[in-house]
Amino acid sequence: MSKQNSLYVRWIFGTGIYMGLNKLPEYKEGKEGEKVAILGAGYVGLVSGVGFAYHGNKVTVTDVVKDKVDLINKGKAPFYEPGLDDLLSKLVKEKLLSASNDIEREVKDAKYIFICVGTPMKEDGSINLEYIRSASISIGKGMKGSKDYKVIVAKSTIIPTTTEKVIIPIIEEESGKKAGKDFGVCMNPEFLAEGNALNGALNPDRIVIGAYDKKSAEYLQKLYKPFECPKLCVDLRAAEMIKYASNSFLATKISFSNEIANICEKYGVDVYQVMEGVGLDYRINPRFLRAGLGFGGSCFPKDVSALVHAAEEVGVNPKILNAVLEVNSHQPSRAVELAESVLGNLKGKRIAILGLSFKPETDDVRFTRALPIIELLTRKGAVSVAYDPKAINNFKEYTKDKKLNIKYAKSVIEALKDADGVIIQNEWSEFKNLTAKDFNGMKTKVVIDGRRILDGTALEKKGIIYRGIGWKDNKELIYATLK
Ligand code: NAD
Ligand code: UGA
C-alpha cells in the first residue's frame, strides 16, 4: 500500500513542500488497517495520526480541549503547519481520521493507543509529567471493561524509566490489568520537526521502537510496516534516552557553532565560512551548524534542561549539557550588543523585529529567541516594532503577563518604517527575499541579521550597515573592543 501511495504524494525534499495527494487507501479492519487512538491533538499527535490514517488505519485523535476536536473534525489543524490542512481535510472526508473528546471510549475501541501529550518544563527546569499522568489514567479507565489485547505506545518525550515507573503502574492500577499479560507497552519517540512535520511523519529517517516485551514489539512493527526506513528495536529506557540524546546532540551542534562564532568575531573570521569548511567532513555533516541567535522552540530548551535535571538526580554532573544551555541563553543579547555597537545608546530608539515564531513555517512561539531580545530592548529603553506572518497572536498570548515595550506591524514595510535598526530573528521566506530598496523607509539603515539570510554585499553597496553574530564584517568593532 505504501508504494502505491508514494506515487501520489510528492514532496520537494529539502523544502518540505507537500504537493497534494490524489488517492487515499481504503480502511480494511484487521487486514491492512487497524484502529488507532491518539491522546493529544498537538503537533505530534495530529501529525502522527495523519501518518497512520494515510496508510489506511482508522485513527481517532483525542484531546481534552473541545475547540481543537471541533476544528479537526472540520478538516482544519489547530495550529499552522505547511500542507497539513490539505491532507487532513481529505482524511477526515474519507472517514480515515476523526477527533473526539471521549477519550475513554476511544481507548476502549482501539487496538493501538498513542500517548502524545505535552511534557513541558517545570519552573526548576525538570520535566512536568502532569499530562502523562492524566493520559495514563484515561487509558487505564478506558481499558477496564475491554477484553482485547491492546498496545499502549508512549510517543511523548519522557525521561528514562517514565514508561515503567509512571505510565505502566497508573494503567495497571486503573484498569486492573497486567502489562505483558493483558496489554502491550512500547516507547516510540518522535523525531519530526515543526514546519516540516508532515514530511517527518510520512517519510521518517528512522523509527525507534522501545518495547516492554517481544509481543509488544511485534504489534508495533506491524503498524509501522508500510513506513520504509530503518527500524530499530530496543528496550523501553533506551528508546526514551535515544530521544533526549538526539535532541541534546543537535542542540550541542548549534551551541558549539555559536561558541565558535563568538570566538571568530574576535579574530575577524567569518563563522559561516568556518562551518562550511567543518561541515564538509562527512563525519560531521553541514546541518545544525548555523550560528546566530541560538535555538528556541518547544523541544531543545526543555529537553536539554530536563536531561540536566534527570542527570543530577542520579548523581551525574552534565557539564556539556549545562554549557549548551549557557551558550544558548547568551546569544540573543549578542544581537542587541551588535545593534548598540552601531547605534550607540538604544534609549528611545525604534527597533524593528522580523520574526516572532521560534523558526519559520510555524506559528509556535514557545521559547522563541524573539522574547529575550525584546525583553532586553525594553530594559534598554527601546521600542520594538514586531512583525511575523503567522505568529503575532500566539506571541501576544505567550507574553500577556510581561511588560514589553512593543508595537505590532501588519507587514515588513510597516515594521521597518522610521526604524533606527532591525533585528531579523527568523527565516520566513518573505524576509529572505528582502532587497536593499525594502529598507528605504528606515530612519537609519542598520540591519542585524540573526540568521544570515540576506545578500550582505548587495545591501552594503546601497549603504546599508549589515551585521551578524560571528561575521567578519564586525572586524573593526571587535578590534576596537580588544584595544
Ligand atoms: P502540544 O502541546 O502541541 O500538544 C499536546 C496536546 O495534548 C494538547 O492539545 C493538549 O490539550 C493535549 N492533552 C493534554 N492532556 C491530555 C490528556 N490527558 N488527554 C488527551 N489530550 C491531552 O505538544 P506537542 O508539541 O505535540 O508535543 C507532544 C510531545 O511530543 C512532547 O513530549 C514533545 O516534547 C514531543 N515532541 C514534540 C515535537 C514537536 O515538534 N512539537 C517533536 C517531537 C517530539
Ligand atoms: C527539533 C528537532 O529538529 C526534531 O528532530 C525533534 O523531533 C523536535 O525538536 C522535538 O523533539 O520536538 P524543532 O524544534 O521543530 O525540531 O526545530 P529545529 O529545526 O530543530 O530548530 C530548533 C531551533 O534551533 C530553532 O530555533 C532554529 O532556529 C535553531 N537552529 C537550528 C539554529 O539556531 N541553528 C541551526 O543550524 C539549526
Side-chain angles (χ1 to χ4, degrees):
M1 188 178 296
S2 74
K3 279 213 175 75
Q4 184 200 358
N5 277 351
S6 66
L7 295 173
Y8 299 102
V9 171
R10 293 283 179 269
W11 279 93
I12 302 179
F13 283 92
T15 66
I17 298 173
Y18 165 71
M19 297 299 284
L21 174 96
N22 299 325
K23 191 170 182 282
L24 287 167
E26 263 175 63
Y27 169 63
K28 294 175 194 148
E29 191 174 349
K31 290 194 176 136
E32 288 173 78
E34 302 286 359
K35 278 197 176 159
V36 176
I38 293 187
L39 277 74
Y43 292 88
V44 169
L46 184 56
V47 175
S48 308
V50 162
F52 292 128
Y54 165 70
H55 284 295
N57 299 290
K58 200 158 183 91
V59 176
T60 310
V61 180
T62 71
D63 204 287
V64 286
V65 180
K66 191 171 178 311
D67 288 355
K68 296 191 184 187
V69 166
D70 293 344
L71 266 178
I72 295 168
N73 282 328
K74 287 181 192 141
K76 277 193 77 63
F79 48 86
Y80 173 71
E81 183 61 44
L84 183 56
D85 281 355
D86 186 22
L87 184 49
L88 177 64
S89 60
K90 289 185 170 95
L91 293 166
V92 169
K93 209 166 145 207
E94 295 299 320
K95 300 196 180 341
L96 284 160
L97 189 145
S98 61
S100 168
N101 277 133
D102 194 344
I103 302 172
E104 289 173 32
R105 194 199 65 208
E106 298 306 332
V107 164
K108 196 171 174 201
D109 284 354
K111 186 166 183 177
Y112 294 91
I113 297 143
F114 282 82
I115 302 176
C116 300
V117 298
T119 46
M121 187 164 99
K122 284 194 198 161
E123 246 170 51
D124 67 358
S126 63
I127 188 170
N128 176 353
L129 292 175
E130 169 189 352
Y131 307 108
I132 291 286
R133 288 198 183 89
S134 64
S136 305
I137 291 171
S138 301
I139 293 172
K141 287 192 167 141
M143 279 168 55
K144 204 168 187 172
S146 161
K147 288 200 175 65
D148 307 331
Y149 178 86
K150 299 176 189 300
V151 181
I152 316 304
V153 187
K155 206 175 227 321
S156 300
T157 302
I158 42 178
I159 288 294
T161 72
T162 304
T163 308
E164 290 153 87
K165 292 189 176 165
V166 179
I167 296 176
I168 294 177
I170 293 178
I171 296 176
E172 288 185 334
E173 160 103 28
E174 295 291 335
S175 66
K177 295 180 188 292
K178 197 90 199 93
K181 181 171 152 279
D182 305 313
F183 64 96
V185 182
C186 288
M187 200 282 150
N188 168 224
E190 177 55 57
F191 301 104
L192 64 78
E194 288 175 31
N196 194 24
L198 260 190
N199 195 20
L202 297 174
N203 305 297
D205 55 3
R206 84 279 214 196
I207 289 168
V208 172
I209 296 177
Y212 182 84
D213 55 13
K214 197 160 171 266
K215 187 172 174 186
S216 309
E218 283 167 358
Y219 265 67
L220 193 54
Q221 272 168 349
K222 184 169 173 259
L223 188 69
Y224 274 121
K225 200 163 170 232
F227 293 78
E228 289 166 8
C229 65
K231 289 164 193 162
L232 178 68
C233 208
V234 294
D235 63 38
L236 292 171
R237 293 180 192 190
E240 291 165 330
M241 190 54 113
I242 285 169
K243 177 64 196 175
Y244 280 96
S246 299
N247 274 4
S248 298
F249 186 71
L250 292 171
T252 303
K253 282 185 91 172
I254 299 169
S255 278
F256 175 82
S257 287
N258 282 328
E259 182 148 296
I260 297 291
N262 295 338
I263 302 170
C264 277
E265 223 176 275
K266 300 283 180 194
Y267 280 100
V269 173
D270 183 348
V271 72
Y272 276 74
Q273 286 179 18
V274 171
M275 286 307 158
E276 202 175 336
V278 170
L280 286 171
D281 185 329
Y282 76 94
R283 295 168 301 178
I284 299 175
N285 96 39
R287 285 174 282 274
F288 280 71
L289 292 178
R290 277 182 296 114
L293 295 172
F295 56 82
S298 68
C299 296
F300 289 171
K302 77 153 172 84
D303 290 346
V304 179
S305 172
L307 189 55
V308 163
H309 267 257
E312 283 165 355
E313 252 176 46
V314 291
V316 176
N317 177 10
K319 293 180 198 141
I320 294 177
L321 300 180
N322 272 319
V324 167
L325 292 175
E326 198 191 325
V327 170
N328 197 54
S329 68
H330 186 56
Q331 290 310 106
S333 67
R334 298 282 351 274
V336 177
E337 261 170 38
L338 281 176
E340 238 168 358
S341 68
V342 185
L343 293 166
N345 193 335
L346 294 177
K347 196 163 190 306
K349 297 264 164 39
R350 188 179 171 96
I351 307 294
I353 305 290
L354 299 188
L356 291 173
S357 55
F358 81 94
K359 69 177 207 183
E361 303 298 336
T362 180
D363 58 2
D364 195 341
V365 296
R366 291 177 279 185
F367 290 95
T368 171
R369 311 277 75 201
L371 179 56
I373 291 172
I374 293 166
E375 281 179 325
L376 187 53
L377 287 171
T378 300
R379 282 203 296 279
K380 288 183 180 282
V383 57
S384 300
V385 185
Y387 169 72
D388 188 287
K390 296 277 178 202
I392 289 180
N393 287 342
N394 282 354
F395 190 79
K396 282 182 183 168
E397 176 63 26
Y398 185 62
T399 58
K400 64 174 189 280
D401 299 329
K402 298 197 180 288
K403 281 207 168 70
L404 300 176
N405 193 359
I406 186 168
K407 291 181 176 153
Y408 295 94
K410 290 194 176 67
S411 67
V412 175
I413 299 303
E414 190 187 319
L416 292 176
K417 194 166 179 317
D418 299 327
D420 295 284
V422 53
I423 297 177
I424 301 177
Q425 192 278 130
N426 69 19
E427 311 98 315
W428 281 99
S429 51
E430 66 176 288
F431 307 157
K432 280 187 186 166
N433 295 331
L434 291 173
T435 57
K437 65 175 179 353
D438 295 310
F439 298 94
N440 280 346
M442 292 180 75
K443 196 162 141 199
T444 40
K445 295 181 189 172
V446 176
V447 179
I448 311 297
D449 186 348
R451 305 290 179 185
R452 179 75 156 250
I453 57 174
L454 299 178
D455 177 352
T457 315
L459 296 187
E460 281 174 344
K461 267 190 196 150
K462 298 283 179 188
I464 294 172
I465 298 175
Y466 184 57
R467 297 280 151 83
I469 299 159
W471 301 4
K472 195 176 176 180
D473 313 71
N474 304 319
K475 200 172 170 184
E476 274 180 28
L477 293 167
I478 284 110
Y479 285 160
T481 320
L482 284 177
K483 269 176 212 160

